[in-house]
Amino acid sequence: PYNIQILNIYLKGLMQKYLTYNEYEVLRLSYGLDCDKHSAKEIADELGIKGVGCYVRVSELKKQAVKKLIDNVDHSQVLDIV
């Protein structure tokens, strides 16, 4: 078993180090790190992303953020925590 609060703190620290504010918030809200999970529409509203395809922009930010983390974080560090 793992401690979800410690894992959340660790993940949020990695995210703050490598991601922009919007990328960080999209992942935090999408995956429910320290909050309830939010839909793409709710995240767009929260971040002030406007327009018909606002949820598409949230999806793009999420994909971009995950790629940045994959490219920058040593996988063995994450696996040791999990």
Side-chain angles (χ1 to χ4, degrees):
Y2 56 90
N3 185 322
I4 192 73
Q5 292 170 330
I6 292 173
L7 186 57
N8 280 352
I9 290 167
Y10 177 73
L11 290 173
K12 288 183 353 182
L14 287 175
M15 290 164 44
Q16 287 175 330
K17 182 175 181 179
Y18 295 107
L19 304 179
T20 66
Y21 174 79
N22 278 355
E23 291 167 341
Y24 172 86
E25 286 298 308
V26 165
L27 287 188
R28 185 181 73 80
L29 296 170
S30 291
Y31 292 109
L33 299 176
D34 78 6
C35 63
D36 292 332
K37 291 181 180 183
H38 290 62
S39 70
K41 179 70 173 130
E42 291 169 332
I43 295 169
D45 289 343
E46 179 105 8
L47 296 178
I49 300 172
K50 305 285 185 209
V52 179
C54 60
Y55 58 91
V56 174
R57 180 65 186 134
V58 169
S59 294
E60 289 171 346
L61 283 168
K62 185 176 178 180
K63 182 178 177 180
Q64 179 180 313
V66 169
K67 181 172 176 11
K68 270 189 187 179
L69 290 175
I70 289 169
D71 291 345
N72 289 293
V73 176
D74 180 6
H75 301 94
S76 64
Q77 290 176 323
V78 178
L79 291 176
D80 289 344
I81 296 295
V82 176

